[in-house]
Amino acid sequence: MKIAMIGSGYVGLVSAACFANIGNRVYCVDRDPKRIDNLENGQMPIYEPGLEALVRENTRQGTLSFHLASADVIDKVEIVFIAVGTPMGKDGAADLAAVYAVAREIGSHMSRPLIVVNKSTVPVGTGDQVRKIIAAELDRRGESLSFSMVSNPEFLKEGKAISDFGSPDRIVLGSDDPDALEVMGELYRPMVYRNPKERILRMSLRSAELTKYAANAMLATRISFINEMAQLCEAVGADINDVREGIGSDSRIGSSFLYPGAGYGGSCFPKDVEALRHTFEQHNLNAGILKAVEERNARQKQWAFGKIARHFGGVERDSTKLEGRHFALWGLSFKPDTDDVREAPSLVLIEQLLEVGATVSAYCPKGCEQTNFYLQNKSTLNATQLGRLRYVESAYQAAEAADALILLTEWREFLSPDWQRLKKLLKCPLLFDGRTQFSPRHLARMGFQYYAVGLPTA
Ligand SMILES: NC(=O)c1ccc[n+]([C@@H]2O[C@H](COP(=O)([O-])OP(=O)(O)OC[C@H]3O[C@@H](n4cnc5c(N)ncnc54)[C@H](O)[C@@H]3O)[C@@H](O)[C@H]2O)c1
């Protein structure tokens, strides 16, 4: 099939490369000229395992190409995907300006019947709005071309995007047009050929739009729930990992997405939970659960600083005692195998430590560049404060002469550190673990004082 993918970010680029790789001809569009230039030269705008090879190979074979203007490609294709960003707007609602801009472009340039597929995460009713915008543009041009609207929300996980795309848990297709659903089912057939009936879920446009938000809200709820239990574990002397296994082994509950941590981040959960809460409010409904999920997450992002302030500053958490202290920080991206730091707990902690006069040596396999970009452009830190943060080349270099080590992202290379070496490098053997990934007994044997989310303090 011939496809245009408008928006070449995490979702657009991965989808485009994967569709091209199974024999479709995909025209990838982005309004950012630098991004298009780089992609034409095989340079990726994001880090995603396996993506670069896939893009290079399909570009070489001529099944994938990159374009700045959607006008150049819309009349060449039968399906147009919208995969642009829908960031959090000022009032918490999703900002749909980019989606609507693409709808106007489609209406102004289409010259044959089309299937318009929305892959961006959008509030219920957006598909209807996109349909109106395209129809209005066609009217303005005096054209009466037919087109169908499909909602096809994306569920891929950053860091595992390519394998998720090729082998999805499910594909959600929403439309009131059975022919469009048929074509879309055929497009996705290679991904589900072993069990197509159960993995392609067909529904209305609005149900599909809501399914995406409900899925992210459910996952965020599980994280905030286990984090709330973790806080109680710390207070009553229970171990969250035991509790987690105890409840996760119940098949009605299941064990995934039940790991305690220093708060969820990323480009999706925070903005999607907030946008869904906004939709409830627009309909005069109370989103009590979602509010609690967000509140817990905001508190959870304070976990590391709270423990550090208490350790060095006493019960009063006197943060002046942190001035001049030096901290090693492992992991900046919001999760492993991505360079994405949007809404990451690391940003909150770095800001807090630098504000109270501490210095930070940060190490992350992929997240340093994005962290630097965020802190330079979007934080309130001044140049002196930012001067107290340095990015280092290795995990052990970060630990040199640090008063404590803090772990915030569970990258593979942090799973089994050389404790003896760390002990020699650190000023004191002290670890704050925002992922609760080590054994407290082993750490005690190694001579470390160990704080972890949901564990009684050693
Ligand atoms: N990142 C994820 O893991 C993920 C997963 C599932 C769903 N989503 C959703 O998918 C959508 C896209 O997310 P993303 O992470 O890929 O965003 P992104 O910011 O990485 O990429 C969006 C791209 O769209 C381009 N763009 C914006 N307006 C454009 C226009 N008018 N014409 C052409 N290009 C335009 C931008 O330049 C950018 O490159 C969002 O709604 C997001 O919530 C993201």
Side-chain angles (χ1 to χ4, degrees):
M1 292 187 200
K2 294 194 174 60
I3 298 168
M5 187 68 65
I6 318 288
S8 309
Y10 281 89
V11 167
L13 187 57
V14 168
S15 310
C18 292
F19 280 135
N21 202 43
I22 51 170
N24 299 289
R25 174 66 175 96
V26 187
Y27 300 87
C28 220
V29 178
D30 204 283
R31 67 176 174 190
D32 177 352
K34 193 168 162 227
R35 184 165 286 219
I36 291 298
D37 243 25
N38 286 342
L39 282 166
E40 280 178 334
N41 293 313
Q43 284 168 29
M44 299 304 105
I46 51 168
Y47 171 72
E48 182 63 42
L51 182 64
E52 185 169 337
L54 210 57
V55 169
R56 283 180 183 232
E57 178 55 19
N58 284 282
T59 312
R60 194 184 64 75
Q61 291 196 6
T63 49
L64 182 63
S65 56
F66 298 99
H67 308 265
L68 200 46
S70 56
D72 295 345
V73 306
I74 285 176
D75 61 350
K76 294 187 172 70
V77 302
E78 55 220 283
I79 303 174
V80 178
F81 278 89
I82 304 175
V84 294
T86 48
M88 197 189 293
K90 281 200 183 76
D91 55 357
D95 177 349
L96 298 172
V99 172
Y100 293 155
V102 176
R104 277 190 293 277
E105 286 171 34
I106 296 171
S108 340
H109 300 298
M110 66 186 276
S111 57
R112 54 193 269 188
L114 272 183
I115 298 176
V116 177
V117 186
N118 190 20
K119 216 174 216 329
S120 298
T121 302
V122 293
V124 178
T126 306
D128 294 326
Q129 197 55 33
V130 167
R131 193 199 319 262
K132 277 190 201 149
I133 294 172
I134 297 175
E137 281 301 311
L138 288 172
D139 262 4
R140 192 183 55 75
R141 291 167 55 203
E143 292 279 4
S144 62
L145 295 163
S146 66
F147 67 95
S148 316
M149 280 305 306
V150 176
S151 166
N152 170 217
E154 183 51 62
F155 297 96
L156 59 76
K157 303 183 276 300
E158 288 179 19
K160 295 197 172 94
I162 308 266
S163 56
D164 281 352
F165 202 89
S167 182
D169 287 339
R170 78 314 209 174
I171 288 151
V172 169
L173 296 173
S175 183
D176 50 12
D177 178 349
D179 293 339
L181 287 176
E182 185 70 32
V183 175
M184 291 301 294
E186 190 51 31
L187 176 67
Y188 276 109
R189 194 179 48 79
M191 283 78 162
V192 296
Y193 72 100
R194 280 180 217 283
N195 201 352
K197 285 220 172 67
E198 284 172 19
R199 288 167 72 195
I200 296 189
L201 308 176
R202 294 174 174 84
M203 54 185 79
S204 73
L205 200 58
R206 287 183 171 230
S207 300
E209 289 170 338
L210 186 52
T211 297
K212 172 65 192 176
Y213 280 108
N216 276 358
M218 182 71 209
L219 294 170
T221 302
R222 283 176 72 96
I223 296 176
S224 278
F225 175 83
I226 202 72
N227 283 338
E228 192 140 303
M229 291 302 125
Q231 187 186 29
L232 190 57
C233 283
E234 288 175 28
V236 301
D239 179 328
I240 191 63
N241 278 329
D242 292 342
V243 176
R244 175 178 62 75
E245 282 171 22
I247 61 174
S249 52
D250 182 330
S251 61
R252 293 168 303 174
I253 297 174
S255 58
S256 52
F257 260 82
L258 266 189
Y259 288 82
Y264 61 76
S267 67
C268 292
F269 288 3
K271 83 169 171 63
D272 291 350
V273 173
E274 179 66 9
L276 185 57
R277 189 177 69 74
H278 195 266
T279 305
F280 270 80
E281 279 163 11
Q282 275 179 325
H283 290 83
N284 295 319
L285 298 169
N286 180 15
I289 292 178
L290 300 183
K291 280 186 218 156
V293 167
E294 290 184 313
E295 207 182 291
R296 159 52 54 198
N297 198 51
R299 274 208 301 274
Q300 205 64 21
K301 286 186 178 178
Q302 308 287 328
W303 178 87
F305 188 77
K307 291 285 171 201
I308 294 166
R310 175 83 191 255
H311 179 90
F312 290 100
V315 217
E316 299 299 318
R317 295 177 195 220
D318 178 2
S319 52
T320 58
K321 301 259 168 60
L322 295 178
E323 198 177 339
R325 297 258 178 210
H326 177 50
F327 294 96
L329 175 55
W330 283 4
L332 299 170
S333 52
F334 84 96
K335 67 174 180 180
D337 293 320
T338 179
D339 59 352
D340 200 338
V341 302
R342 287 177 277 185
E343 305 282 341
S346 62
L347 300 175
V348 175
L349 178 66
I350 289 174
E351 286 182 344
Q352 288 172 314
L353 289 175
L354 298 182
E355 270 164 10
V356 298
T359 60
V360 177
S361 291
Y363 171 71
C364 184
K366 294 287 174 197
C368 294
E369 204 177 308
Q370 297 288 337
T371 302
N372 189 39
F373 178 84
Y374 172 88
L375 293 174
Q376 296 284 349
N377 296 289
K378 298 189 180 169
S379 79
T380 53
L381 294 170
N382 60 36
T384 315
Q385 291 167 330
L386 283 170
R388 290 198 293 272
L389 167 66
R390 67 180 188 130
Y391 302 96
V392 297
E393 297 294 319
S394 80
Y396 293 100
Q397 192 185 349
E400 281 168 16
D403 288 290
L405 170 62
I406 309 153
L407 172 95
L408 287 185
T409 320
E410 68 280 28
W411 284 85
R412 262 186 307 279
E413 65 177 271
F414 304 148
L415 288 177
S416 275
D418 179 342
W419 296 112
Q420 296 301 351
R421 186 173 170 197
L422 274 176
K423 212 169 157 183
K424 281 188 198 132
L425 290 171
L426 289 164
K427 258 195 245 162
C428 36
L430 172 60
L431 171 60
F432 297 90
D433 177 2
R435 311 305 313 180
T436 318
Q437 67 172 26
F438 301 115
S439 146
R441 261 200 255 156
H442 184 62
L443 267 283
R445 267 203 307 279
M446 291 290 123
F448 273 76
Q449 185 167 7
Y450 182 49
Y451 292 89
V453 182
L455 297 188
T457 302

